[in-house]
Amino acid sequence: MTTLGLYSPGSSLLHRLTPGPKLIAMVLAITAVTILVRQPWQLVPAIAVVAVLYAIARIPARVALAQLRPLLWALIFIGAFQVIFTGWARATVVCGTIVLAVALAALVTLTTRVSDMLDTVSRALGPLRRLGVNPERAGLVLAMTLRCIPLLTGIVQQVSEARKARGLGFSLRALAVPAVVSALMTAEAMGDALAARGVDD
């Protein structure tokens, strides 16, 4: 079972902080890293700050690393592309920025209950109700997004582990086809469950 994006119970300062400030701080931090980091050495203090935040939140190292593991293949592809066309320095900055952004977003979800985040989003979007926006539905979309990310990652991991158990080598097509089929079946089941509860009314 993947721990990606799942709430990690705790009583740290970050756990006690309300979702609003955390979401705002996350957006500002990711924006700052994207704009300010231009050289590989500038990633070092940014990584140190994120590591300190994870330590403050008392997130186990294995859980923290699990947030980044699904990025491996994407980072290899992006890094290789950047090295070929822009050089190793730019490749390091781009891949490092992606890792930091994912780590910061994961830290918010790890230290925030989904119900608390939904309440915050619903309240923030409340004024838009007069424009036809349904805050509760927007909150539900956020909840489904947060749940589906680790769910899809888990599906891919299960398919990969099943292939390894059968002694089969790596094949992108053989991995993608069963993963997509399983994802579609899961999506259909989730849709039926939502419809049964009148969410589509």
Side-chain angles (χ1 to χ4, degrees):
M1 179 179 179
T2 180
T3 58
L4 180 65
L6 298 180
Y7 175 68
S8 179
S11 58
S12 71
L13 175 63
L14 290 179
H15 283 85
R16 297 195 302 270
L17 195 63
T18 55
K22 281 191 283 190
L23 289 170
I24 294 173
M26 178 193 72
V27 172
L28 292 177
I30 292 176
T31 301
V33 169
T34 303
I35 295 176
L36 299 178
V37 174
R38 288 290 177 264
Q39 298 296 329
W41 67 266
Q42 293 174 326
L43 290 168
V44 176
I47 293 173
V49 170
V50 173
V52 169
L53 290 174
Y54 269 83
I56 292 174
R58 303 189 190 112
I59 302 297
R62 61 178 179 78
V63 175
L65 292 176
Q67 313 309 305
L68 305 177
R69 194 175 298 120
L71 290 175
L72 180 60
W73 289 109
L75 289 175
I76 292 175
F77 177 79
I78 294 171
F81 180 86
Q82 291 291 332
V83 167
I84 293 172
F85 292 99
T86 63
W88 71 268
R90 183 58 184 168
T92 302
V93 170
V94 170
C95 291
T97 300
I98 293 173
V99 169
L100 286 170
V102 171
L104 287 168
L107 182 60
V108 172
T109 59
L110 286 168
T111 59
T112 309
R113 289 185 176 85
V114 173
S115 58
D116 294 338
M117 192 175 297
L118 297 185
D119 290 341
T120 298
V121 172
S122 296
R123 287 196 301 270
L125 296 179
L128 298 180
R129 191 185 295 275
R130 288 175 292 183
L131 300 178
V133 176
N134 187 322
E136 288 73 24
R137 283 183 179 271
L140 178 61
V141 170
L142 175 60
M144 297 296 292
T145 301
L146 292 174
R147 182 64 191 98
C148 286
I149 292 173
L151 185 62
L152 290 174
T153 303
I155 289 173
V156 173
Q157 289 179 344
Q158 289 172 6
V159 172
S160 178
E161 290 172 0
R163 287 185 54 78
K164 290 179 181 178
R166 294 181 176 88
L168 302 177
F170 176 79
S171 170
L172 184 59
R173 179 181 298 177
L175 178 66
V177 172
V180 170
V181 171
S182 181
L184 290 175
M185 292 175 63
T186 302
E188 183 178 5
M190 292 175 67
D192 291 341
L194 291 172
R197 289 164 174 79
V199 175
D200 62 338
D201 290 345

